[in-house]
Amino acid sequence: MSISAADVKQLREMTGVGMMDCKKALTETNGDIEAAVDWLRSKGLAKAAKKADRVAAEGLVGIAVEGNRAAIVEINSETDFVARNEQFQGIVRNSAKLALEANGDVEALGAAQFPGTGRTVSQELTEAIAKIGENMTLRRAAVMEVAQGAIGSYVHSSISEGLGRIGVLVGLESAGDQTKLAALGRQIAMHVAATKPLSLSSADLDPEAVERERAVFSEQARQSGKPDNIIEKMVEGRIRKYYEEVTLLAQTFVIDGENTVEQAVKNAEADVGAPIKVAGYVLFALGEGIEKQESDFAAEVAAAAGTA
C-alpha cells in the first residue's frame, strides 16, 4: 500500500524516530499509526528516540592505531556506569577502527557497517540505547597520519585497552627507528593529556585569543604607572610566558621536568637515528565542552510525589 508523507510526519512527531524507520513501521502495519507506534516500541526505536534529548556527557574515548595512521573517537552516554558495559565498550572499540576507514568523518562513520550485525554504527547505537536504557551519541572522530614516522598514543583513566576518559594522538615525522619513535610519541601524548596545550606552537594559536591576553596584560601593566616603553616590554614578556604555558613545543616536558618539549624531541634524535618533527596532536577529553544539566534531586522527588 502507499504510505503518505503526512502519516510519516505524524508518526515521526509522535515518536521522534527517523523518517525511514517511520515509513517502514507504517508499511509493516498497513498504515495503522497506533500499530506503527507499537511496532517501533517493540523494536526499541521509539524508546531510544525518547531518550535523545537527555544530556550525554559521559562515555568513552577510543583509539585505534594501524601503522602510521591512528583514529580517535568519542561516544557519549548519560552516566559513567555505561562505560563499564561490555556492549558499549565494543561499540567504541569497533568505531575507532572503523573511523580509520571513514577518515575521521563522523557522518561516514555513522553510516559504516558495524561488524557482524548487518547494521550501521548509528543503528548499533540505537540498539544499544534500547537495551541499556541511556541516550548515547557518536560525538566526534579524528584521524592522524604521517607519511614516514610513527603515531604515539595514550589513553588516560583507561578501563580497557585503547578505551578511557582522555585520549591523545601525537604524530612524529622521521626516518628513524619506528619503535623508539612510537615510545617518544607516547611520552609526548602523556604530556599533552597532563597539560592540555591550546596549540602545537605560537604560530598555530588563535590570534583573537592572543589579543585578548595582550589586552589583559596591557591593562595590568598600565596600573603599575610605568612609562609606555617599559609597559610594552612588560607585555611582551608576559606574552612570551603565555606561549610557554599554552603551546606544546614551548612547554616544559613533564617527563623530565627540565627541557621544553621541542628540546626533548631534539635530544631524542641521536637515539632515534634521524631528525624528528612533531607533525601535530589530537586531544579528546571526555565530555569537554558539553553543558551538563544540574538537577535538584529533592525537587524531582517532590514533583514525582505530587507535593511540589
Side-chain angles (χ1 to χ4, degrees):
M1 66 173 294
S2 177
I3 303 299
S4 72
D7 285 345
V8 173
K9 182 175 182 292
Q10 181 181 349
L11 183 59
R12 185 182 187 189
E13 289 174 349
M14 291 172 65
T15 63
V17 176
M19 286 191 297
M20 294 305 294
D21 285 321
C22 284
K23 186 174 181 180
K24 184 176 181 181
L26 287 165
T27 301
E28 292 289 330
T29 57
N30 296 316
D32 185 322
I33 290 182
E34 292 301 323
V37 172
D38 291 340
W39 187 90
L40 288 169
R41 289 179 61 197
S42 72
K43 300 297 182 184
L45 297 172
K47 180 181 178 183
K50 288 179 181 179
K51 297 180 184 296
D53 61 348
R54 296 185 185 175
V55 175
E58 295 293 337
L60 286 171
V61 171
I63 284 177
V65 181
E66 290 186 6
N68 61 347
R69 296 184 79 235
I72 183 169
V73 300
E74 178 182 351
I75 298 182
N76 299 120
S77 61
E78 293 177 53
T79 67
D80 59 3
F81 178 77
V82 171
R84 297 188 288 274
N85 180 282
E86 290 186 3
Q87 181 185 4
F88 183 73
Q89 290 179 17
I91 291 174
V92 180
R93 185 176 290 106
N94 280 289
S95 294
K97 295 175 183 176
L98 291 169
L100 285 165
E101 301 172 21
N103 204 33
D105 184 286
V106 172
E107 187 174 340
L109 175 56
Q113 290 296 305
F114 195 84
T117 65
R119 294 185 289 267
T120 65
V121 170
S122 292
Q123 290 169 339
E124 187 67 13
L125 270 177
T126 299
E127 290 285 325
I129 291 170
K131 182 176 180 180
I132 297 173
E134 284 195 15
N135 184 29
M136 301 173 199
T137 57
L138 172 57
R139 185 187 183 198
R140 52 181 172 167
V143 166
M144 173 161 283
E145 180 175 5
V146 291
Q148 184 180 34
I151 304 292
S153 66
Y154 173 68
V155 174
H156 188 66
S157 296
S158 176
I159 74 168
S160 183
E161 183 67 28
L163 303 176
R165 296 185 63 85
I166 298 175
V168 183
L169 301 177
V170 173
L172 298 180
E173 295 179 351
S174 177
D177 185 287
Q178 300 292 298
T179 301
K180 292 179 178 178
L181 278 173
L184 175 63
R186 176 176 170 78
Q187 288 187 329
I188 298 173
M190 293 172 70
H191 170 99
V192 170
T195 65
K196 298 180 176 60
L198 298 181
S199 70
L200 180 64
S201 68
S202 58
D204 306 310
L205 269 174
D206 180 357
E208 290 186 6
V210 176
E211 286 309 308
R212 284 195 300 271
E213 294 299 319
R214 188 183 297 276
V216 171
F217 297 153
S218 295
E219 182 59 32
Q220 291 174 343
R222 287 192 188 95
Q223 293 176 13
S224 69
K226 291 183 170 57
D228 287 349
N229 63 322
I230 300 297
I231 289 174
E232 184 177 344
K233 291 179 181 178
M234 291 171 63
V235 171
E236 289 309 311
R238 292 292 300 275
I239 288 292
R240 285 194 298 272
K241 183 66 175 177
Y242 173 68
Y243 289 156
E244 292 171 5
E245 291 172 352
V246 303
T247 63
L248 173 58
L249 295 179
Q251 288 178 333
T252 300
F253 195 28
V254 296
I255 302 300
D256 64 25
E258 297 178 3
N259 297 291
T260 63
V261 172
E262 185 173 33
Q263 186 58 51
V265 170
K266 188 71 176 175
N267 294 344
E269 291 180 348
D271 186 42
V272 168
I276 307 168
K277 177 185 176 182
V278 182
Y281 71 92
V282 179
L283 165 66
F284 279 10
L286 185 66
E288 186 177 44
I290 298 176
E291 186 174 346
K292 300 183 181 180
Q293 293 177 334
E294 299 294 335
S295 61
D296 185 334
F297 184 69
E300 289 178 7
V301 172
T307 58

